[in-house]
């Protein structure tokens, strides 16, 4: 089984994961050319060598409108366009020198986002010098960490609909588009929860930008190229302490990041600061098949994605690709009987459990005490989710007791391929392992072709 292991003991950002995956492909320059061809407006990818604590790796240098954006680790909800912002971060630049001067017009930025965004912030870390930006008729001075913006400055923000329009217009597969939008969906949900506002009201200030789109789409493209059968991710180091943002002083991890990593194994680590970005957290949560230590595997290649900040520990994300045996996995079988639910109620409960991520749900007619006809529910779930599904079962059925047993299972490695037929493109499920290969067309695609005939 082709296994990808992502090691995040120094935290994770989207650009670090992107750079590490590029190294795994074996041709970083080819990755750069491939990503620059997908059509993200006014965005350029450049992979460059980077050294942390004596270890050589790759840094993903992403520019939007010719400017590499600062890494802002929080997203903020804004209702208007006139704001006074104060951010604390450090800026470190590979170009050398203490001052940078960037000019880009408001019209250029507004062409990218219909709702505009004068400050296009991404998911990239910088280390500590002075910035001088001119945006159209406005001049901004950024000194050493605290960013002070005049209350007269006009800041624009991107809605989820803007992000969807950009991603859907890219020269990438439908799977990449679907994955990228799903990652943004996690970010939007976390923002909605953190700010207590509907997802439709969320304005992306710091992750909803062209360079963040580049990180997310780039990771999705490279994972599609690498095609791992499974992805295992280490527990995530978040860092600790406090950070200052537009809303005031916040703890690490910030509320939106904390919401994203619910259900994910994390720990603070021993580095003070914010190690885990919202984009990094959303990418890892979306793609991880499981979290834990590195499995037994024959490593074929190792990738090193470097951040920009310098810590006492090497600021890097490491990935391993290799072959591991399909060792099977642990599942839990939950069973319970009911004799007082209607067919409609049984169907509804089955749908809720499947939509919540159950591996399988099936029912068997049985005769219960007093010869009453009843239904035996069997629900297969991941071992770590048995309590979650026990709660869903009690909530959505009439049972007052559940039996469960933990068991091992053998399974074939599964992947999806697309096949062009004379009737159109059809997704095919391919399963391999134990010397066996099976292929089956996706029912919905076949049904869709039949409906068109």
């Amino acid at each position: 089984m082709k296994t990808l292991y992502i090691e995040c003991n120094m935290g994770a950002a989207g650009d670090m994961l992107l750079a590490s995956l590029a190294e795994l492909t074996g041709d970083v320059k080819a990755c750069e050319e491939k990503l620059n061809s997908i059509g993200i407006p006014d965005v350029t990818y450049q992979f460059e060598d980077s050294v942390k604590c004596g270890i050589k790796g790759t840094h993903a240098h992403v520019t939007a409108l010719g400017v590499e954006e600062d890494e802002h680790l929080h997203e903020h909800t804004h209702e208007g366009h006139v704001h006074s912002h104060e951010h604390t971060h450090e800026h470190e630049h590979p170009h050398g020198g203490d001052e940078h001067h960037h000019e880009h017009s408001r019209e250029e930025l507004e062409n990218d986002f219909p709702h505009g965004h004068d400050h296009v912030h991404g998911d990239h870390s910088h280390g500590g010098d002075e910035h001088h930006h001119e945006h159209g008729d406005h001049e901004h001075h950024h000194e050493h960490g605290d960013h002070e913006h005049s209350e007269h400055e006009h800041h624009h923000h991107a809605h989820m609909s803007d992000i969807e329009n950009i991603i859907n217009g890219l020269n990438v597969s439908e799977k990449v588009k679907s994955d990228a939008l799903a990652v943004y969906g996690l970010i939007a949900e976390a923002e909605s929860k953190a700010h207590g506002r509907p997802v439709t009201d969320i304005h992306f200030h710091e992750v909803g930008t062209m360079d963040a789109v580049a990180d997310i789409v780039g990771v999705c493209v490279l994972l599609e190229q690498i095609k791992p059968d499974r992805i295992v991710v280490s527990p995530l180091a978040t860092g600790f302490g406090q950070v200052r943002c537009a809303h005031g002083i916040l703890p690490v991890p910030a509320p939106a990041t904390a919401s994203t990593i619910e259900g994910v194994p994390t720990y603070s680590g021993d580095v003070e600061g914010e190690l885990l970005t919202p984009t990094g957290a959303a990418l890892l949560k979306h793609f991880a098949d499981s979290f834990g230590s590195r499995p037994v595997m024959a490593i074929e290649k190792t990738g090193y994605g470097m951040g920009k900040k310098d810590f006492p520990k090497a600021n890097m994300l490491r990935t391993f690709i290799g072959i591991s045996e399909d060792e099977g996995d642990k599942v839990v079988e939950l069973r319970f009987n009911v004799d007082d639910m209607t067919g409609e109620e049984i169907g509804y409960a089955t749908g809720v459990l499947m939509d919540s991520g159950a591996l399988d749900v099936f029912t068997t007619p049985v005769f219960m005490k007093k010869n009453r006809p009843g239904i035996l529910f069997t629900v297969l779930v991941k071992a770590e989710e048995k309590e979650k599904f026990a709660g869903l079962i009690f909530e959505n059925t009439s049972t007052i007791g559940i039996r469960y047993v933990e068991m091992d299972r053998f399974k074939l490695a599964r992947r999806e391929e697309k096949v062009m037929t004379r009737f159109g493109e059809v997704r095919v499920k391919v399963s391999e392992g134990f010397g066996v290969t099976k292929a089956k067309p996706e029912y919905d695609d076949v049904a869709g072709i039949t409906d068109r005939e």
Side-chain angles (χ1 to χ4, degrees):
M1 173 184 291
K2 190 176 183 180
T3 299
L4 172 64
Y5 183 69
I6 304 175
E7 184 179 75
C8 308
N9 56 18
M10 277 301 299
D15 58 340
M16 295 167 70
L17 179 57
L18 179 66
S20 185
L21 293 175
E23 286 204 347
L24 286 188
T25 68
D27 192 338
V28 171
K29 194 65 180 177
C31 286
E32 183 179 295
E33 294 173 358
K34 180 175 184 177
L35 295 176
N36 282 321
S37 71
I38 62 180
I40 301 179
D42 299 305
V43 162
T44 302
Y45 293 87
Q46 181 181 357
F47 292 107
E48 45 191 36
D49 291 341
S50 178
V51 176
K52 297 292 179 185
C53 296
I55 304 299
K56 178 181 174 296
T58 298
H59 170 66
H61 182 79
V62 179
T63 59
L65 295 170
V67 178
E68 183 175 21
E69 299 300 334
D70 298 340
E71 181 179 59
H72 295 254
L73 303 184
H74 311 292
E75 319 87 81
H76 307 294
T77 300
H78 300 279
E79 295 177 297
H81 294 292
V82 180
H83 310 281
S84 177
H85 295 272
E86 187 173 334
H87 301 280
T88 299
H89 17 222
E90 297 178 344
H91 303 273
E92 176 187 274
H93 301 274
H95 322 290
D98 295 323
E99 182 173 333
H100 292 251
H101 182 249
H102 309 297
E103 296 183 8
H104 40 277
S105 70
R106 182 180 311 283
E107 290 75 21
E108 289 177 304
L109 290 163
E110 288 179 345
N111 284 337
D112 284 320
F113 291 112
H115 298 281
H117 201 302
D118 282 358
H119 261 309
V120 185
H121 300 302
D123 202 24
H124 309 279
S125 60
H126 298 262
D129 303 324
E130 179 178 330
H131 274 247
H132 179 213
H133 301 271
E134 291 183 8
H135 305 266
D137 298 327
H138 300 287
E139 183 170 310
H140 301 207
H141 286 276
H142 301 240
E143 297 183 357
H144 299 290
D146 291 344
H147 287 210
E148 296 183 0
H149 302 287
S150 164
E151 64 182 8
H152 301 295
E153 294 169 341
H154 197 113
H155 291 264
H156 296 283
H157 308 277
H159 293 77
M160 189 63 188
S161 59
D162 302 321
I163 303 300
E164 290 172 352
N165 289 336
I166 293 168
I167 291 175
N168 283 326
L170 299 179
N171 180 29
V172 295
S173 70
E174 290 303 315
K175 182 179 187 310
V176 167
K177 293 177 184 178
S178 175
D179 283 330
L181 290 173
V183 172
Y184 259 106
L186 289 175
I187 295 171
E189 289 173 7
E191 271 295 286
S192 173
K193 184 174 180 180
H195 297 291
R197 298 183 183 278
V199 170
T200 53
D201 291 349
I202 296 299
H203 298 215
F204 292 101
H205 177 57
E206 293 169 2
V207 296
T209 57
M210 300 308 294
D211 53 326
V213 170
D215 284 345
I216 292 172
V217 174
V219 167
C220 295
V221 167
L222 295 188
L223 283 175
E224 183 182 51
Q225 177 179 336
I226 295 169
K227 293 183 178 178
D229 295 317
R230 67 167 173 170
I231 298 175
V232 182
V233 181
S234 72
L236 307 181
T238 64
F240 67 93
Q242 297 176 327
V243 290
R244 182 186 299 175
C245 74
H247 299 291
I249 303 296
L250 294 177
V252 174
T257 305
S259 178
T260 301
I261 59 177
E262 288 178 358
V264 173
T266 63
Y267 63 103
S268 62
D270 54 4
V271 173
E272 184 170 5
E274 191 170 31
L275 299 179
L276 181 63
T277 70
T279 301
L283 280 165
L284 294 169
K285 184 172 185 178
H286 173 70
F287 282 109
D289 293 308
S290 63
F291 289 85
S293 58
R294 179 161 49 89
V296 176
M297 57 190 291
I299 298 171
E300 296 177 345
K301 195 168 185 61
T302 306
Y304 293 85
M306 304 307 201
K308 290 192 113 180
K309 291 180 180 178
D310 288 317
F311 300 116
K313 292 184 176 181
N315 181 17
M316 66 185 188
L317 180 149
R318 185 163 62 167
T319 52
F320 303 86
I321 192 74
I323 302 299
S324 63
E325 292 295 326
D326 189 351
E327 301 166 345
D329 59 345
K330 297 280 188 182
V331 295
V332 169
E333 184 178 86
L334 303 166
R335 299 183 205 165
F336 59 95
N337 296 8
V338 294
D339 62 2
D340 56 353
M341 291 178 65
T342 66
E344 290 87 351
E345 291 170 334
I346 291 169
Y348 177 79
T350 299
V352 168
L353 295 171
M354 289 299 297
D355 291 344
S356 299
L359 301 173
D360 199 4
V361 181
F362 56 93
T363 58
T364 307
V366 295
F367 282 96
M368 299 172 61
K369 58 186 177 183
K370 299 182 180 179
N371 286 325
R372 292 174 183 168
I375 294 292
L376 167 64
F377 271 84
T378 305
V379 184
L380 296 179
V381 302
K382 295 178 181 178
E384 62 271 21
E385 293 187 323
K386 64 178 182 290
E387 288 85 1
K388 165 189 166 182
F389 280 95
L392 288 171
I393 289 169
F394 285 129
E395 181 181 351
N396 291 281
T397 74
S398 61
T399 191
I400 58 174
I402 303 168
R403 305 175 298 280
Y404 75 89
V405 58
E406 294 188 359
M407 56 184 67
D408 295 316
R409 66 171 180 170
F410 293 109
K411 67 176 183 179
L412 301 181
R414 282 160 279 188
R415 69 177 187 274
E416 183 181 278
E417 295 181 353
K418 292 182 178 179
V419 177
M420 182 57 68
T421 73
R422 62 191 180 93
F423 301 105
E425 189 175 71
V426 175
R427 290 172 294 165
V428 176
K429 298 176 181 177
V430 180
S431 303
E432 295 178 315
F434 299 91
V436 174
T437 299
K438 300 180 180 182
K440 183 178 180 180
E442 179 66 48
Y443 170 80
D444 290 341
D445 290 2
V446 175
I449 291 173
T450 303
D451 291 342
R452 293 196 300 269
E453 292 300 315

